[in-house]
Amino acid sequence: MKKLMNDPGDLVVESLRGMEAAHGDILRVSYEPAYIVRADAPVRGKVGVLSGGGSGHEPMHGGYVGPGMLGAACPGAIFTSPTPDQIEEATRALDGGAGVIYLVKNYTGDVLNFESAAELCVSAGIPVETVIIDDDVAVQDSSFTAGRRGVGATVLIEKIVGAAAERGMGLAEVTGLARTLNEEARSMGVALSSCTVPEAGKPTFDLGADEIELGIGIHGEPGRERRTIRPARELVEYMSEAIFSDLPFHRGDSIIVLLNGMGGTPLIELYLLYGELERVARTRGLHIRRRLVGNYITSLEMQGFSMTALRSDDRILGLWDDPVHTASIRWGS
Amino acid sequence: MKKLMNDPGDLVVESLRGMEAAHGDILRVSYEPAYIVRADAPVRGKVGVLSGGGSGHEPMHGGYVGPGMLGAACPGAIFTSPTPDQIEEATRALDGGAGVIYLVKNYTGDVLNFESAAELCVSAGIPVETVIIDDDVAVQDSSFTAGRRGVGATVLIEKIVGAAAERGMGLAEVTGLARTLNEEARSMGVALSSCTVPEAGKPTFDLGADEIELGIGIHGEPGRERRTIRPARELVEYMSEAIFSDLPFHRGDSIIVLLNGMGGTPLIELYLLYGELERVARTRGLHIRRRLVGNYITSLEMQGFSMTALRSDDRILGLWDDPVHTASIRWGS
């Protein structure tokens, strides 16, 4: 295992230190317990948007903290849920009197720990609502999940819900919006290589020299099937069919898409894949109205990519276009 | 070799298609010959800023085309110089009457082909100036270079020179600025793994299971030495010494830094490295006034990183802060 770090046990906290040093204008970091919060938190009278989960998926979630997106993020150890006390402290630091919404990817540990934190906060008088994100069509139930896993839709939902909160929408309305967005989003991923969790020191799984895993999870959980590598065109078609037939998306729908790298995939390949996705969408009569292409929800140095589609109307597109100012997504400000 | 592509020979052009589909609001693409140009080119009365080089370093250069940075970019085949006719055609598409500056990384093929293009354009009545970028302190002369190689400073110079052109500075002044910036910038890189050029189908070089290459070039050219992997702290100290003692940078200097991933390095590691760099800079009395942390000049899926420091005054910092609107660097617009 070759990684750019010092002691494996210090990777997360030392990375947080670098992030704080780089982006002190946007965010501040608490270390005990660990969370990242908007530099201007709490924002009086506005709903706080909070997310979190295991580290190793950067820039998610810390890279999305800032005006117009997340108010706070709770990073666990690598691929490990944050603890209830982390989430509770972050909630207290974030709440500006209008309550806090938790956006939680559907992994059993995350769901339980956010639930515990919500109970603690509600007892303390902070209104909290929780929305579970489960957009991965690949498999029903998985290593760490009952039901579907939460993956790429998280990035899109964090952006749009963050904009709604920034506009001053109340907790109930923001929560309803988040639930709708989750219902309208579908994703799937594929891996060309495993990643290596630093404290484990060896690859999470083995793939043959020509093998890929279709429907991979973001922690290396098994997908639908293993196949030999095939042309990008065929991969995108396979995944498009899985995603678009699931909701299902209909001819004429407007969509926002995320063409996401898993961490070790070069951008030149991601743009090629986006070109294929755009072609498939056009054939199906789907209108890609907005898109992100890049590394947004990763699995350390895994090679591979995922695709997410979110059915959108003018209200959602308007929220998408609102200004956002975070370390990793920024426009209009 | 597992890559997300169709035919290796089509990777560059198919990636350009995806880029055009994703960013049609910012840029347009010509395919025969291949170049990327600002959607609003030519901009009347303003100097055009043009760069280019082999593909495989994305987002450089195409990701930096747009208002406030590059006017046009010429992508060659993977790790191969663009041809004079590409550069000439891009220059004609870009020139708005105030001339064009070429920002050229110091590789023999690039230097020769940009020189040929400049001669063709000057004969045709378009004023062209060329600035060679050679910021890599690792080695003197290399596989494809007489003198030092051009690496990370290219990104910083493209941003700042792009801002100057956008403000309406004339060709002579912009050229002088670019030369000064190059003189004030130093870089160095390290590789943990090789990359694989698609048409070659096998890794460019071999590294042992615990080996790293200090001073790596962006095409996998040999560096200063091979060593066993060591803690990030020591790597950053080694590279800082090489960079900061070269100019040399002095206590009290203001700098802009780029902490750059080579393509296959997870962001969690890049932020850890930035934290180490910030600590070293503080110890040396250097003030990091601005920074970029991420994948900005890559070598396909290579794992590793590079560091660049640019000594800056208030004028340079002001240009840095000017609005920029490209696919991969964007703020203030």
Side-chain angles (χ1 to χ4, degrees):
Chain A
M1 175 182 62
K2 283 189 275 192
K3 287 185 183 281
L4 295 160
M5 62 182 180
N6 298 304
D7 185 273
D10 297 332
L11 172 56
V12 171
V13 68
E14 291 182 350
S15 184
L16 287 174
R17 275 191 221 290
M19 198 170 191
E20 185 177 37
H23 304 295
D25 56 327
I26 300 175
L27 53 86
R28 57 178 200 269
V29 175
S30 157
Y31 293 91
E32 294 279 352
Y35 61 83
I36 301 164
V37 67
R38 277 173 64 155
D40 60 352
V43 183
R44 287 280 146 227
K46 290 190 182 176
V47 170
V49 184
L50 188 152
S51 192
S55 293
H57 305 299
E58 291 69 22
M60 191 183 77
H61 300 271
Y64 305 138
V65 170
M69 207 160 166
L70 293 182
C74 297
I78 300 286
F79 295 172
T80 303
S81 304
T83 57
D85 71 302
Q86 275 181 272
I87 303 164
E88 184 196 358
E89 288 300 316
T91 307
R92 289 177 184 275
L94 177 60
D95 180 47
V100 173
I101 181 172
Y102 293 169
L103 300 175
V104 182
K105 301 189 301 302
N106 189 33
Y107 299 97
T108 305
D110 289 7
V111 171
L112 288 174
N113 289 356
F114 273 94
E115 198 173 279
S116 299
E119 283 170 17
L120 293 167
C121 291
V122 169
S123 307
I126 303 174
V128 170
E129 293 286 349
T130 299
V131 175
I132 307 294
I133 299 171
D134 59 350
D135 53 309
D136 189 344
V137 304
V139 292
Q140 187 67 25
D141 303 335
S142 184
S143 317
F144 312 108
T145 313
R148 286 179 164 184
R149 301 176 297 222
V151 289
T154 315
V155 179
L156 307 182
I157 294 172
E158 287 176 0
K159 165 65 185 84
I160 295 163
V161 167
E166 202 73 41
R167 285 189 186 180
M169 280 186 204
L171 185 57
E173 197 181 355
V174 166
T175 303
L177 172 65
R179 287 197 215 290
T180 301
L181 293 169
N182 182 56
E183 285 162 11
E184 299 287 307
R186 295 294 185 274
S187 298
M188 190 167 170
V190 60
L192 275 60
S193 72
S194 178
C195 54
T196 296
V197 175
E199 302 222 44
K202 58 182 176 46
T204 305
F205 59 94
D206 290 309
L207 274 177
D210 288 324
E211 244 180 353
I212 61 173
E213 175 95 23
L214 286 161
I216 191 79
I218 58 172
H219 313 96
E221 307 96 307
R224 287 188 178 182
E225 54 178 325
R226 290 193 174 189
R227 289 202 189 170
T228 52
I229 179 82
R230 51 202 59 218
R233 186 177 301 123
E234 290 177 32
L235 290 177
V236 171
E237 283 166 1
Y238 176 99
M239 292 161 72
S240 295
E241 173 59 26
I243 291 168
F244 293 135
S245 67
D246 189 90
L247 187 59
F249 292 79
H250 294 295
R251 193 163 284 274
D253 281 350
S254 289
I255 56 177
I256 299 173
V257 301
L258 168 63
L259 193 302
N260 174 65
M262 294 292 203
T265 307
L267 192 58
I268 191 170
E269 296 179 20
L270 297 181
Y271 275 118
L272 181 147
L273 292 163
Y274 178 75
E276 297 292 350
L277 173 58
E278 203 266 345
R279 183 182 54 76
V280 170
R282 201 160 1 94
T283 306
R284 288 173 172 261
L286 299 170
H287 305 294
I288 301 180
R289 300 287 298 277
R290 304 289 186 277
R291 80 285 302 154
L292 292 175
V293 181
N295 291 294
Y296 288 95
I297 167 172
T298 64
S299 303
L300 296 168
E301 70 283 356
M302 184 185 285
Q303 284 188 277
F305 75 105
S306 65
M307 298 178 359
T308 300
L310 168 66
R311 185 158 56 190
S312 304
D313 56 17
D314 286 345
R315 182 177 81 123
I316 291 172
L317 294 172
L319 289 162
W320 180 262
D321 291 342
D322 273 6
V324 56
H325 188 153
T326 73
S328 293
I329 294 185
R330 181 169 171 175
W331 56 73
S333 69
Chain B
M1 174 182 63
K2 283 189 274 192
K3 287 184 185 281
L4 296 160
M5 60 183 180
N6 297 304
D7 185 272
D10 297 331
L11 172 56
V12 171
V13 68
E14 291 182 350
S15 184
L16 287 174
R17 275 191 221 290
M19 197 169 192
E20 185 178 37
H23 304 294
D25 56 326
I26 300 174
L27 54 86
R28 56 177 202 268
V29 176
S30 157
Y31 294 91
E32 295 279 353
Y35 61 84
I36 300 164
V37 67
R38 277 173 65 155
D40 60 351
V43 183
R44 288 280 145 226
K46 291 190 181 175
V47 169
V49 183
L50 188 152
S51 191
S55 293
H57 306 299
E58 291 69 22
M60 191 183 77
H61 300 273
Y64 305 139
V65 170
M69 206 161 167
L70 293 182
C74 297
I78 301 285
F79 295 173
T80 303
S81 305
T83 57
D85 71 302
Q86 275 182 273
I87 304 165
E88 184 196 358
E89 287 300 316
T91 307
R92 290 177 184 274
L94 177 59
D95 180 48
V100 174
I101 181 170
Y102 291 169
L103 299 175
V104 182
K105 301 190 301 302
N106 189 34
Y107 300 97
T108 305
D110 288 6
V111 172
L112 287 173
N113 289 357
F114 273 93
E115 197 173 278
S116 298
E119 282 170 16
L120 293 166
C121 291
V122 169
S123 307
I126 303 174
V128 171
E129 292 286 350
T130 299
V131 175
I132 307 293
I133 298 171
D134 59 350
D135 54 308
D136 189 345
V137 304
V139 293
Q140 187 67 25
D141 302 336
S142 184
S143 317
F144 312 108
T145 313
R148 286 178 164 186
R149 301 175 297 219
V151 290
T154 314
V155 179
L156 307 182
I157 294 172
E158 287 176 359
K159 167 64 185 86
I160 296 163
V161 167
E166 203 73 41
R167 285 189 187 182
M169 281 186 201
L171 185 57
E173 196 181 356
V174 166
T175 303
L177 171 66
R179 287 196 215 290
T180 299
L181 293 169
N182 183 57
E183 285 163 9
E184 300 286 308
R186 296 294 186 274
S187 298
M188 190 166 170
V190 60
L192 274 60
S193 72
S194 178
C195 54
T196 296
V197 176
E199 301 222 45
K202 57 182 177 44
T204 305
F205 58 94
D206 290 310
L207 274 176
D210 287 325
E211 243 180 353
I212 60 172
E213 175 94 22
L214 287 161
I216 191 78
I218 58 172
H219 313 96
E221 306 97 306
R224 287 187 177 184
E225 53 178 324
R226 289 192 176 190
R227 290 201 186 170
T228 52
I229 179 84
R230 54 202 58 217
R233 186 178 299 123
E234 290 177 32
L235 289 178
V236 171
E237 283 166 2
Y238 175 100
M239 291 163 72
S240 296
E241 173 60 25
I243 291 168
F244 293 135
S245 67
D246 188 90
L247 188 59
F249 292 78
H250 294 296
R251 193 164 283 276
D253 281 350
S254 288
I255 56 177
I256 299 174
V257 301
L258 168 63
L259 192 303
N260 174 64
M262 294 292 203
T265 307
L267 191 58
I268 191 170
E269 296 179 20
L270 298 182
Y271 274 119
L272 181 148
L273 292 163
Y274 178 75
E276 298 291 350
L277 173 58
E278 203 266 346
R279 183 182 55 75
V280 170
R282 200 161 0 93
T283 306
R284 288 174 172 260
L286 299 171
H287 304 295
I288 301 180
R289 302 286 300 276
R290 304 289 187 277
R291 81 285 303 154
L292 293 175
V293 181
N295 290 295
Y296 289 96
I297 166 173
T298 64
S299 303
L300 296 168
E301 70 283 354
M302 184 185 284
Q303 283 188 277
F305 75 105
S306 65
M307 297 177 0
T308 300
L310 167 67
R311 186 157 55 191
S312 305
D313 55 19
D314 286 345
R315 182 176 80 124
I316 291 171
L317 293 172
L319 288 163
W320 180 262
D321 291 341
D322 272 7
V324 56
H325 188 153
T326 72
S328 293
I329 294 186
R330 181 169 172 175
W331 56 73
S333 68

